[in-house]
Amino acid sequence: MGAEKRGALIVLEGLDRSGKSSQCHRLVEFLKGTGLKVEAWRFPDRTTAIGSSISAYLGGGAELDDRAVHLLFSANRWEKRLQMERKLMAGTTLVVDRYSYSGVAFSAAKGLDLEWCKAPEVGLPAADLVLYLDISPEEAAVRGGYGDERYEQLDFQKKVALQYKGLQGKRWKIVDARQSFDQVHELMRETCVKTVSNCLNGCHHLSWL
Ligand code: TMP
Ligand code: MG
């Protein structure tokens, strides 16, 4: 196993209704077609006990303290850490719909301290590439409308967008998500292929530096 190349951790981020979920699936199909081992993941992972508490909160059926919810979202990633690292080390590329950046952007948008929000994410596997599907909150809001989940409101999404801006770093690629579905996909392909082929063995861990 040691000499094998590891898989890449590719994360898609963006506001609600920015097109992440459909683009994740399209990207996974494309990468599979190139012969890669690749899986689609998403956070929150609502299939676990922690994930179902998160889902109840998002659906409005449960009231929880903002910090408690933040820690649940983080714990939902931690409970998947070992499985993620094993997959990556075994050469499987993971395309993940939302990750620590959503965790920080959405909680900081509520007014929680930024550094406090980042702290529980330190030590999780670091993304090799973050594709940010860039769309204005106003444009996202008119795209077929929001669902009923908490956070799917224009005023709040504006605050989230500002927080995302502050998180952008060197592993980020900003993708203009106002284009057609196919164009957005095209914009992401090349960077993903490059990222996968540049992944050396050994997993980086998130440090926010
Ligand atoms: P989803 O629509 O991608 O399933 O995500 C549900 C909501 O949860 C979405 O509005 C973003 C939010 N969220 C957080 O607040 N913190 C997190 O850590 C994650 C992954 C998502
Ligand atoms: Mg949503």
Side-chain angles (χ1 to χ4, degrees), residues 60-129:
E63 287 310 316
L64 282 170
D65 177 84
D66 287 341
R67 287 178 181 77
V69 170
H70 182 77
L71 295 172
L72 283 179
F73 273 112
S74 185
N76 187 228
R77 285 182 278 280
W78 278 103
E79 66 180 336
K80 291 283 163 179
R81 179 196 64 92
L82 192 57
Q83 201 186 341
M84 287 177 85
E85 287 197 355
R86 282 189 180 144
K87 296 251 179 200
L88 293 168
M89 290 313 160
T92 301
T93 284
L94 306 178
V95 175
V96 188
D97 186 349
R98 296 195 183 281
Y99 197 53
S100 301
Y101 314 95
S102 284
V104 173
F106 280 76
S107 290
K110 293 175 173 175
L112 297 187
D113 179 74
L114 186 64
E115 297 309 314
W116 187 90
C117 291
K118 287 178 174 181
E121 306 299 316
V122 172
L124 284 168
D128 296 293
L129 173 66

Side-chain angles (χ1 to χ4, degrees), residues 10-93:
I10 298 175
V11 172
L12 269 75
E13 286 285 358
L15 299 178
D16 285 291
R17 308 295 303 160
S18 58
K20 289 180 311 304
S21 306
S22 330
Q23 288 296 343
C24 270
H25 287 108
R26 180 78 182 86
L27 186 56
V28 166
E29 289 315 308
F30 165 71
L31 292 173
K32 270 187 189 157
T34 70
L36 279 178
K37 282 193 285 181
V38 52
E39 287 183 11
W41 281 47
R42 69 175 311 146
F43 288 107
D45 177 338
R46 302 185 192 218
T47 65
T48 69
I50 295 170
S52 78
S53 302
I54 292 172
S55 200
Y57 169 78
L58 290 171
E63 287 310 316
L64 282 170
D65 177 84
D66 287 341
R67 287 178 181 77
V69 170
H70 182 77
L71 295 172
L72 283 179
F73 273 112
S74 185
N76 187 228
R77 285 182 278 280
W78 278 103
E79 66 180 336
K80 291 283 163 179
R81 179 196 64 92
L82 192 57
Q83 201 186 341
M84 287 177 85
E85 287 197 355
R86 282 189 180 144
K87 296 251 179 200
L88 293 168
M89 290 313 160
T92 301
T93 284

Side-chain angles (χ1 to χ4, degrees), residues 159-170:
K159 293 181 186 162
V160 174
L162 282 177
Q163 293 298 332
Y164 267 131
K165 281 223 166 67
L167 293 175
Q168 291 169 13
K170 65 177 179 356

